[in-house]
Amino acid sequence: MHSFQKVTDDIMEMNPFTKIGKDWMLVTAGNEEKANTMTASWGGVGVMWGKDVAYVVIRQSRFTKEFIDKEGKFSLSFPSKKYRKEMKFLGAVSGRNEDKIKEAGIDINYHDGVPFIDQADMVFICRVMSNTVLKKEDFIDQGIDEAWYKDNDYHTLYIAEITDILAR
């Protein structure tokens, strides 16, 4: 396992458009008995309700969503591009049917009981503050529903306080 330390947000130099949208992140949730992770390229960071927050959207069908809903916490792990192959695999395979974390050859580490990906360079530990199920009638731009939700597998929007930032 790698050694991580808590850092403050003032040392972060992160372009969220690149880090999340192009490089991707791993959303990991669960506990020390069982955890799951998924690759995500939709989300963001900012300030809400006076707190530093991350927001992610998770489809109803995702196994990781069950862990987030049960535990109320999750991590966002940002591995380097060196792990692109593993991230593609983790985004394509369900953890319901197999131990995809083991098969991908990555390791889980824990911070205050919250699982995160040990191969990451930076990790956000997050506590859910809000969740909202997106619905067809929520979209002012109906093209969104037509383009992204033909299967009616809508996302839940999670807004979570970033309680800790870890770095190697």
Side-chain angles (χ1 to χ4, degrees):
M1 294 286 171
H2 294 98
S3 178
F4 285 81
Q5 55 188 317
K6 284 174 54 169
V7 297
T8 57
D9 61 359
D10 61 339
I11 66 133
M12 272 185 17
E13 291 184 19
M14 176 182 132
N15 176 336
F17 302 108
T18 302
K19 196 55 103 175
I20 296 169
K22 293 182 179 148
D23 295 344
W24 306 337
M25 63 186 167
L26 292 167
V27 181
T28 309
N31 55 46
E32 295 197 24
E33 292 176 24
K34 177 97 173 131
N36 197 59
T37 193
M38 61 175 272
T39 304
S41 62
W42 289 8
V45 294
V47 177
M48 188 82 170
W49 305 306
K51 300 191 182 287
D52 292 341
V53 300
Y55 74 87
V56 295
V57 288
I58 311 289
R59 289 190 187 270
Q60 302 297 315
S61 62
R62 297 293 186 172
F63 190 42
T64 303
K65 182 183 182 310
E66 295 175 24
F67 291 93
I68 294 172
D69 291 342
K70 181 179 178 196
E71 300 295 331
K73 295 181 179 182
F74 61 90
S75 66
L76 301 178
S77 299
F78 300 92
S80 70
K81 290 180 183 181
K82 168 180 158 184
Y83 292 98
R84 190 68 167 195
K85 178 180 158 192
E86 290 83 353
M87 292 179 77
K88 283 182 182 181
F89 175 79
L90 292 166
V93 174
S94 174
R96 272 192 188 95
N97 308 320
E98 55 194 284
D99 188 347
K100 70 179 187 175
I101 294 170
K102 182 178 179 182
E103 287 182 41
I106 61 169
D107 302 300
I108 296 285
N109 202 335
Y110 295 88
H111 177 78
D112 291 338
V114 178
F116 67 90
I117 303 305
D118 192 62
Q119 284 76 10
D121 294 326
M122 181 175 56
V123 177
F124 297 162
I125 302 296
C126 301
R127 180 186 63 83
V128 175
M129 296 170 57
S130 170
N131 64 26
T132 304
V133 178
L134 301 179
K135 301 177 291 286
K136 180 179 182 167
E137 56 269 18
D138 294 331
F139 301 119
I140 294 167
D141 178 349
Q142 285 301 304
I144 295 169
D145 188 66
E146 293 165 14
W148 298 101
Y149 299 107
K150 290 180 182 157
D151 60 359
N152 293 315
D153 189 12
Y154 290 90
H155 285 97
T156 296
L157 167 65
Y158 293 92
I159 299 173
E161 177 185 9
I162 300 171
T163 58
D164 289 307
I165 301 170
L166 309 176
R168 289 202 271 153

PDB file of all heavy atoms in Angstrom, residues 18-42:
ATOM      1  N   THR A  18     -10.318  18.699 -17.219  1.00  0.00           N
ATOM      2  CA  THR A  18      -9.374  17.674 -17.684  1.00  0.00           C
ATOM      3  C   THR A  18      -9.371  16.475 -16.749  1.00  0.00           C
ATOM      4  O   THR A  18      -9.498  15.333 -17.186  1.00  0.00           O
ATOM      5  CB  THR A  18      -7.951  18.261 -17.779  1.00  0.00           C
ATOM      6  OG1 THR A  18      -7.974  19.363 -18.671  1.00  0.00           O
ATOM      7  CG2 THR A  18      -6.952  17.218 -18.257  1.00  0.00           C
ATOM      8  N   LYS A  19      -9.215  16.731 -15.465  1.00  0.00           N
ATOM      9  CA  LYS A  19      -9.055  15.660 -14.484  1.00  0.00           C
ATOM     10  C   LYS A  19     -10.264  14.728 -14.453  1.00  0.00           C
ATOM     11  O   LYS A  19     -10.127  13.518 -14.349  1.00  0.00           O
ATOM     12  CB  LYS A  19      -8.787  16.268 -13.107  1.00  0.00           C
ATOM     13  CG  LYS A  19      -8.243  15.315 -12.088  1.00  0.00           C
ATOM     14  CD  LYS A  19      -7.007  14.627 -12.545  1.00  0.00           C
ATOM     15  CE  LYS A  19      -5.742  15.133 -11.982  1.00  0.00           C
ATOM     16  NZ  LYS A  19      -4.609  14.310 -12.395  1.00  0.00           N
ATOM     17  N   ILE A  20     -11.466  15.280 -14.547  1.00  0.00           N
ATOM     18  CA  ILE A  20     -12.680  14.463 -14.489  1.00  0.00           C
ATOM     19  C   ILE A  20     -13.131  14.059 -15.893  1.00  0.00           C
ATOM     20  O   ILE A  20     -13.343  12.877 -16.169  1.00  0.00           O
ATOM     21  CB  ILE A  20     -13.808  15.222 -13.750  1.00  0.00           C
ATOM     22  CG1 ILE A  20     -13.394  15.446 -12.289  1.00  0.00           C
ATOM     23  CG2 ILE A  20     -15.122  14.449 -13.831  1.00  0.00           C
ATOM     24  CD1 ILE A  20     -14.285  16.403 -11.522  1.00  0.00           C
ATOM     25  N   GLY A  21     -13.277  15.031 -16.770  1.00  0.00           N
ATOM     26  CA  GLY A  21     -13.872  14.768 -18.071  1.00  0.00           C
ATOM     27  C   GLY A  21     -13.004  14.012 -19.050  1.00  0.00           C
ATOM     28  O   GLY A  21     -13.505  13.242 -19.860  1.00  0.00           O
ATOM     29  N   LYS A  22     -11.694  14.222 -18.985  1.00  0.00           N
ATOM     30  CA  LYS A  22     -10.799  13.575 -19.952  1.00  0.00           C
ATOM     31  C   LYS A  22      -9.955  12.464 -19.330  1.00  0.00           C
ATOM     32  O   LYS A  22      -9.753  11.421 -19.931  1.00  0.00           O
ATOM     33  CB  LYS A  22      -9.901  14.620 -20.608  1.00  0.00           C
ATOM     34  CG  LYS A  22     -10.688  15.563 -21.485  1.00  0.00           C
ATOM     35  CD  LYS A  22      -9.799  16.568 -22.178  1.00  0.00           C
ATOM     36  CE  LYS A  22     -10.676  17.446 -23.060  1.00  0.00           C
ATOM     37  NZ  LYS A  22     -10.213  18.790 -23.190  1.00  0.00           N
ATOM     38  N   ASP A  23      -9.427  12.714 -18.130  1.00  0.00           N
ATOM     39  CA  ASP A  23      -8.569  11.716 -17.485  1.00  0.00           C
ATOM     40  C   ASP A  23      -9.384  10.681 -16.702  1.00  0.00           C
ATOM     41  O   ASP A  23      -8.898   9.602 -16.441  1.00  0.00           O
ATOM     42  CB  ASP A  23      -7.578  12.384 -16.525  1.00  0.00           C
ATOM     43  CG  ASP A  23      -6.582  13.276 -17.246  1.00  0.00           C
ATOM     44  OD1 ASP A  23      -6.453  13.156 -18.482  1.00  0.00           O
ATOM     45  OD2 ASP A  23      -5.942  14.095 -16.570  1.00  0.00           O
ATOM     46  N   TRP A  24     -10.601  11.048 -16.290  1.00  0.00           N
ATOM     47  CA  TRP A  24     -11.537  10.201 -15.557  1.00  0.00           C
ATOM     48  C   TRP A  24     -11.170  10.076 -14.078  1.00  0.00           C
ATOM     49  O   TRP A  24     -10.063  10.378 -13.665  1.00  0.00           O
ATOM     50  CB  TRP A  24     -11.686   8.817 -16.141  1.00  0.00           C
ATOM     51  CG  TRP A  24     -12.029   8.734 -17.576  1.00  0.00           C
ATOM     52  CD1 TRP A  24     -12.632   9.685 -18.349  1.00  0.00           C
ATOM     53  CD2 TRP A  24     -11.794   7.620 -18.438  1.00  0.00           C
ATOM     54  NE1 TRP A  24     -12.787   9.229 -19.627  1.00  0.00           N
ATOM     55  CE2 TRP A  24     -12.277   7.961 -19.715  1.00  0.00           C
ATOM     56  CE3 TRP A  24     -11.217   6.370 -18.254  1.00  0.00           C
ATOM     57  CZ2 TRP A  24     -12.208   7.089 -20.795  1.00  0.00           C
ATOM     58  CZ3 TRP A  24     -11.150   5.507 -19.323  1.00  0.00           C
ATOM     59  CH2 TRP A  24     -11.647   5.859 -20.579  1.00  0.00           C
ATOM     60  N   MET A  25     -12.129   9.615 -13.326  1.00  0.00           N
ATOM     61  CA  MET A  25     -11.953   9.366 -11.903  1.00  0.00           C
ATOM     62  C   MET A  25     -12.624   8.045 -11.565  1.00  0.00           C
ATOM     63  O   MET A  25     -13.423   7.525 -12.342  1.00  0.00           O
ATOM     64  CB  MET A  25     -12.550  10.507 -11.071  1.00  0.00           C
ATOM     65  CG  MET A  25     -14.041  10.677 -11.240  1.00  0.00           C
ATOM     66  SD  MET A  25     -14.622  12.140 -10.361  1.00  0.00           S
ATOM     67  CE  MET A  25     -16.270  12.298 -11.063  1.00  0.00           C
ATOM     68  N   LEU A  26     -12.280   7.518 -10.414  1.00  0.00           N
ATOM     69  CA  LEU A  26     -12.923   6.305  -9.918  1.00  0.00           C
ATOM     70  C   LEU A  26     -13.743   6.666  -8.689  1.00  0.00           C
ATOM     71  O   LEU A  26     -13.226   7.262  -7.743  1.00  0.00           O
ATOM     72  CB  LEU A  26     -11.874   5.239  -9.571  1.00  0.00           C
ATOM     73  CG  LEU A  26     -11.143   4.675 -10.790  1.00  0.00           C
ATOM     74  CD1 LEU A  26      -9.928   3.872 -10.366  1.00  0.00           C
ATOM     75  CD2 LEU A  26     -12.081   3.823 -11.636  1.00  0.00           C
ATOM     76  N   VAL A  27     -15.027   6.343  -8.734  1.00  0.00           N
ATOM     77  CA  VAL A  27     -15.934   6.549  -7.611  1.00  0.00           C
ATOM     78  C   VAL A  27     -15.976   5.228  -6.855  1.00  0.00           C
ATOM     79  O   VAL A  27     -16.351   4.205  -7.417  1.00  0.00           O
ATOM     80  CB  VAL A  27     -17.351   6.931  -8.096  1.00  0.00           C
ATOM     81  CG1 VAL A  27     -18.269   7.169  -6.911  1.00  0.00           C
ATOM     82  CG2 VAL A  27     -17.308   8.149  -9.013  1.00  0.00           C
ATOM     83  N   THR A  28     -15.568   5.264  -5.598  1.00  0.00           N
ATOM     84  CA  THR A  28     -15.454   4.042  -4.800  1.00  0.00           C
ATOM     85  C   THR A  28     -16.251   4.209  -3.520  1.00  0.00           C
ATOM     86  O   THR A  28     -16.185   5.247  -2.871  1.00  0.00           O
ATOM     87  CB  THR A  28     -13.974   3.754  -4.470  1.00  0.00           C
ATOM     88  OG1 THR A  28     -13.204   3.804  -5.679  1.00  0.00           O
ATOM     89  CG2 THR A  28     -13.814   2.386  -3.813  1.00  0.00           C
ATOM     90  N   ALA A  29     -17.006   3.165  -3.173  1.00  0.00           N
ATOM     91  CA  ALA A  29     -17.813   3.214  -1.958  1.00  0.00           C
ATOM     92  C   ALA A  29     -17.920   1.818  -1.375  1.00  0.00           C
ATOM     93  O   ALA A  29     -17.689   0.821  -2.042  1.00  0.00           O
ATOM     94  CB  ALA A  29     -19.203   3.777  -2.261  1.00  0.00           C
ATOM     95  N   GLY A  30     -18.276   1.778  -0.106  1.00  0.00           N
ATOM     96  CA  GLY A  30     -18.440   0.514   0.596  1.00  0.00           C
ATOM     97  C   GLY A  30     -17.832   0.609   1.974  1.00  0.00           C
ATOM     98  O   GLY A  30     -17.771   1.677   2.581  1.00  0.00           O
ATOM     99  N   ASN A  31     -17.352  -0.532   2.438  1.00  0.00           N
ATOM    100  CA  ASN A  31     -16.717  -0.591   3.749  1.00  0.00           C
ATOM    101  C   ASN A  31     -15.567  -1.598   3.678  1.00  0.00           C
ATOM    102  O   ASN A  31     -15.251  -2.089   2.591  1.00  0.00           O
ATOM    103  CB  ASN A  31     -17.746  -0.943   4.838  1.00  0.00           C
ATOM    104  CG  ASN A  31     -18.483  -2.223   4.516  1.00  0.00           C
ATOM    105  OD1 ASN A  31     -17.893  -3.230   4.130  1.00  0.00           O
ATOM    106  ND2 ASN A  31     -19.804  -2.201   4.660  1.00  0.00           N
ATOM    107  N   GLU A  32     -15.001  -1.926   4.826  1.00  0.00           N
ATOM    108  CA  GLU A  32     -13.835  -2.815   4.801  1.00  0.00           C
ATOM    109  C   GLU A  32     -14.194  -4.260   4.509  1.00  0.00           C
ATOM    110  O   GLU A  32     -13.317  -5.060   4.218  1.00  0.00           O
ATOM    111  CB  GLU A  32     -13.038  -2.659   6.099  1.00  0.00           C
ATOM    112  CG  GLU A  32     -12.466  -1.249   6.195  1.00  0.00           C
ATOM    113  CD  GLU A  32     -11.346  -1.089   7.202  1.00  0.00           C
ATOM    114  OE1 GLU A  32     -10.669  -2.080   7.519  1.00  0.00           O
ATOM    115  OE2 GLU A  32     -11.159   0.045   7.657  1.00  0.00           O
ATOM    116  N   GLU A  33     -15.478  -4.587   4.552  1.00  0.00           N
ATOM    117  CA  GLU A  33     -15.918  -5.941   4.191  1.00  0.00           C
ATOM    118  C   GLU A  33     -16.145  -6.074   2.690  1.00  0.00           C
ATOM    119  O   GLU A  33     -15.811  -7.086   2.093  1.00  0.00           O
ATOM    120  CB  GLU A  33     -17.197  -6.294   4.934  1.00  0.00           C
ATOM    121  CG  GLU A  33     -17.008  -6.446   6.427  1.00  0.00           C
ATOM    122  CD  GLU A  33     -18.325  -6.694   7.148  1.00  0.00           C
ATOM    123  OE1 GLU A  33     -19.278  -7.186   6.510  1.00  0.00           O
ATOM    124  OE2 GLU A  33     -18.388  -6.395   8.348  1.00  0.00           O
ATOM    125  N   LYS A  34     -16.744  -5.045   2.076  1.00  0.00           N
ATOM    126  CA  LYS A  34     -17.076  -5.110   0.652  1.00  0.00           C
ATOM    127  C   LYS A  34     -17.100  -3.690   0.092  1.00  0.00           C
ATOM    128  O   LYS A  34     -17.676  -2.779   0.685  1.00  0.00           O
ATOM    129  CB  LYS A  34     -18.439  -5.772   0.458  1.00  0.00           C
ATOM    130  CG  LYS A  34     -18.925  -5.839  -0.968  1.00  0.00           C
ATOM    131  CD  LYS A  34     -18.619  -7.177  -1.583  1.00  0.00           C
ATOM    132  CE  LYS A  34     -19.272  -7.268  -2.962  1.00  0.00           C
ATOM    133  NZ  LYS A  34     -18.381  -7.719  -3.978  1.00  0.00           N
ATOM    134  N   ALA A  35     -16.472  -3.519  -1.045  1.00  0.00           N
ATOM    135  CA  ALA A  35     -16.444  -2.216  -1.711  1.00  0.00           C
ATOM    136  C   ALA A  35     -16.561  -2.427  -3.217  1.00  0.00           C
ATOM    137  O   ALA A  35     -16.309  -3.519  -3.725  1.00  0.00           O
ATOM    138  CB  ALA A  35     -15.153  -1.479  -1.386  1.00  0.00           C
ATOM    139  N   ASN A  36     -16.936  -1.381  -3.895  1.00  0.00           N
ATOM    140  CA  ASN A  36     -17.001  -1.418  -5.351  1.00  0.00           C
ATOM    141  C   ASN A  36     -16.535  -0.066  -5.890  1.00  0.00           C
ATOM    142  O   ASN A  36     -16.582   0.944  -5.188  1.00  0.00           O
ATOM    143  CB  ASN A  36     -18.424  -1.722  -5.834  1.00  0.00           C
ATOM    144  CG  ASN A  36     -18.448  -2.177  -7.282  1.00  0.00           C
ATOM    145  OD1 ASN A  36     -17.824  -3.173  -7.629  1.00  0.00           O
ATOM    146  ND2 ASN A  36     -19.138  -1.447  -8.140  1.00  0.00           N
ATOM    147  N   THR A  37     -16.088  -0.079  -7.131  1.00  0.00           N
ATOM    148  CA  THR A  37     -15.641   1.153  -7.770  1.00  0.00           C
ATOM    149  C   THR A  37     -16.165   1.208  -9.187  1.00  0.00           C
ATOM    150  O   THR A  37     -16.510   0.167  -9.767  1.00  0.00           O
ATOM    151  CB  THR A  37     -14.100   1.278  -7.741  1.00  0.00           C
ATOM    152  OG1 THR A  37     -13.734   2.603  -8.093  1.00  0.00           O
ATOM    153  CG2 THR A  37     -13.438   0.281  -8.669  1.00  0.00           C
ATOM    154  N   MET A  38     -16.261   2.386  -9.722  1.00  0.00           N
ATOM    155  CA  MET A  38     -16.679   2.579 -11.106  1.00  0.00           C
ATOM    156  C   MET A  38     -15.953   3.784 -11.683  1.00  0.00           C
ATOM    157  O   MET A  38     -15.582   4.712 -10.966  1.00  0.00           O
ATOM    158  CB  MET A  38     -18.190   2.783 -11.205  1.00  0.00           C
ATOM    159  CG  MET A  38     -18.707   3.992 -10.464  1.00  0.00           C
ATOM    160  SD  MET A  38     -20.462   4.305 -10.713  1.00  0.00           S
ATOM    161  CE  MET A  38     -20.377   5.327 -12.183  1.00  0.00           C
ATOM    162  N   THR A  39     -15.743   3.752 -12.967  1.00  0.00           N
ATOM    163  CA  THR A  39     -15.121   4.859 -13.669  1.00  0.00           C
ATOM    164  C   THR A  39     -16.179   5.908 -13.980  1.00  0.00           C
ATOM    165  O   THR A  39     -17.300   5.566 -14.345  1.00  0.00           O
ATOM    166  CB  THR A  39     -14.477   4.349 -14.972  1.00  0.00           C
ATOM    167  OG1 THR A  39     -13.565   3.299 -14.638  1.00  0.00           O
ATOM    168  CG2 THR A  39     -13.737   5.455 -15.700  1.00  0.00           C
ATOM    169  N   ALA A  40     -15.834   7.157 -13.811  1.00  0.00           N
ATOM    170  CA  ALA A  40     -16.767   8.245 -14.104  1.00  0.00           C
ATOM    171  C   ALA A  40     -16.046   9.391 -14.804  1.00  0.00           C
ATOM    172  O   ALA A  40     -14.881   9.663 -14.518  1.00  0.00           O
ATOM    173  CB  ALA A  40     -17.421   8.744 -12.822  1.00  0.00           C
ATOM    174  N   SER A  41     -16.760  10.037 -15.708  1.00  0.00           N
ATOM    175  CA  SER A  41     -16.218  11.214 -16.381  1.00  0.00           C
ATOM    176  C   SER A  41     -17.196  12.384 -16.318  1.00  0.00           C
ATOM    177  O   SER A  41     -17.004  13.380 -16.997  1.00  0.00           O
ATOM    178  CB  SER A  41     -15.890  10.891 -17.849  1.00  0.00           C
ATOM    179  OG  SER A  41     -17.066  10.527 -18.543  1.00  0.00           O
ATOM    180  N   TRP A  42     -18.232  12.236 -15.508  1.00  0.00           N
ATOM    181  CA  TRP A  42     -19.193  13.315 -15.287  1.00  0.00           C
ATOM    182  C   TRP A  42     -19.152  13.675 -13.821  1.00  0.00           C
ATOM    183  O   TRP A  42     -19.235  12.814 -12.951  1.00  0.00           O
ATOM    184  CB  TRP A  42     -20.608  12.871 -15.637  1.00  0.00           C
ATOM    185  CG  TRP A  42     -20.878  12.675 -17.103  1.00  0.00           C
ATOM    186  CD1 TRP A  42     -19.981  12.703 -18.135  1.00  0.00           C
ATOM    187  CD2 TRP A  42     -22.147  12.404 -17.690  1.00  0.00           C
ATOM    188  NE1 TRP A  42     -20.611  12.467 -19.319  1.00  0.00           N
ATOM    189  CE2 TRP A  42     -21.957  12.274 -19.075  1.00  0.00           C
ATOM    190  CE3 TRP A  42     -23.427  12.248 -17.191  1.00  0.00           C
ATOM    191  CZ2 TRP A  42     -22.996  12.012 -19.955  1.00  0.00           C
ATOM    192  CZ3 TRP A  42     -24.463  11.979 -18.068  1.00  0.00           C
ATOM    193  CH2 TRP A  42     -24.237  11.877 -19.444  1.00  0.00           C
TER     194      TRP A  42
END
